[in-house]
Amino acid sequence: MQKRRVLDDISRESRSLMLPCFEPWWKDYATGETIMTYDAGVPKNIAVLEKGEAKLQILNESGDMFLLEHIRQDDLFGELFSLPLESFEYVVTAETPCRVMFVGYEHIIKPCENLCTHHSQLISNLFMMAAQKSQELSLHISLMHQNTIRQKLMAYLNYIASSQGTRTDGSFDIPISLAELADYLSIDRSAMMREIKSMKNDGLISGNRREFIILQ
């Protein structure tokens, strides 16, 4: 599925006309600043990251923080994507200077009186973005349920290779650093690096840094 963006297929003229319909607002955040916190309740706002990078973490009832996903430019996030776990809190933090567009959830589910084309198109874009977000979260959950570090790594590498394709020599680049990958898979970085070296010795993969080739 090609990555959808909130303003795809909406002309510049329509973008100015849709502002009264959705009443969006924008806010800038510094590195390390909390953008949003939410729990498993009724959605209030959805947000689109227009600039920068952020991360979504889960805070459990014991006070432990776990990385759920990295949020990139044009990604969608907000209460709509929280899991139905009342004891969990979700925290979105800016990893770089960020600019975020917010839209009240009620403006999404209640079409404007004119039923204008750009409103319908934006709702369609948001629906596709939500579907893609659901796929990404499902992928993360499936990776976390792999039994071993090797299984987690192979599942992740196979997914990246199949989703973005490979070069003529079979190589591909993962979109995050190895440190971020260890955090994403919730495994110790040193243990992950040892396993990557072992996988290379066993002839399963080759590569350097972010570049990999799956050999078997």
Side-chain angles (χ1 to χ4, degrees):
M1 182 184 294
Q2 183 177 359
K3 190 173 181 65
R4 197 68 176 174
R5 292 177 171 81
V6 68
L7 294 178
D8 281 355
D9 299 324
I10 299 176
S11 67
R12 290 184 177 273
E13 294 78 12
S14 292
R15 293 177 191 182
S16 61
L17 292 173
M18 77 180 185
L19 291 179
C21 298
F22 290 96
E23 300 180 11
W25 69 97
W26 289 261
K27 188 174 180 180
D28 295 317
Y29 296 88
T31 302
E33 190 173 359
T34 298
I35 297 174
M36 179 187 289
T37 61
Y38 51 93
D39 53 23
V42 178
K44 300 181 181 67
N45 302 307
I46 62 168
V48 178
L49 185 63
E50 290 195 347
K51 177 184 177 182
E53 297 182 1
K55 61 183 177 182
L56 172 62
Q57 294 174 292
I58 293 180
L59 176 66
N60 66 18
E61 56 187 358
S62 300
D64 301 315
M65 294 282 284
F66 299 94
L67 176 69
L68 185 59
E69 66 170 322
H70 288 282
I71 302 172
R72 309 299 188 188
Q73 185 175 340
D74 296 323
D75 280 350
L76 188 69
F77 61 95
E79 295 101 334
L80 183 63
F81 306 105
S82 61
L83 300 174
L85 301 170
E86 294 183 358
S87 59
F88 281 36
E89 182 178 5
Y90 298 78
V91 183
V92 181
T93 307
E95 294 190 291
T96 66
C98 292
R99 183 171 178 80
V100 180
M101 181 183 75
F102 294 93
V103 178
Y105 183 67
E106 71 277 5
H107 293 298
I108 303 300
I109 61 176
K110 297 178 181 178
C112 65
E113 295 179 355
N114 297 326
L115 294 176
C116 44
T117 302
H118 54 263
H119 192 127
S120 300
Q121 183 62 56
L122 191 141
I123 291 176
S124 176
N125 291 345
L126 290 173
F127 176 82
M128 293 298 296
M129 292 171 72
Q132 291 171 342
K133 179 68 64 177
S134 177
Q135 290 179 339
E136 292 168 1
L137 292 176
S138 295
L139 168 68
H140 195 185
I141 291 172
S142 67
L143 291 173
M144 296 295 289
H145 277 78
Q146 299 298 313
N147 293 323
T148 67
I149 295 176
R150 177 170 294 198
Q151 288 174 336
K152 288 182 178 182
L153 287 168
M154 286 304 300
Y156 176 80
L157 293 175
N158 276 304
Y159 168 76
I160 296 298
S162 62
S163 62
Q164 72 178 29
T166 61
R167 304 183 184 95
T168 54
D169 63 353
S171 66
F172 60 93
D173 295 325
I174 63 174
I176 55 179
S177 70
L178 293 178
E180 291 172 325
L181 178 59
D183 199 11
Y184 177 71
L185 296 177
S186 192
I187 53 182
D188 178 77
R189 183 184 180 187
S190 296
M192 186 188 76
M193 297 306 295
R194 288 195 297 270
E195 187 59 41
I196 288 176
K197 182 178 180 180
S198 178
M199 292 165 68
K200 290 179 179 180
N201 292 337
D202 291 344
L204 295 176
I205 61 173
S206 65
N208 184 43
R209 295 182 183 274
R210 294 190 182 190
E211 183 181 82
F212 289 88
I213 298 175
I214 298 175
L215 302 176
Q216 293 185 18

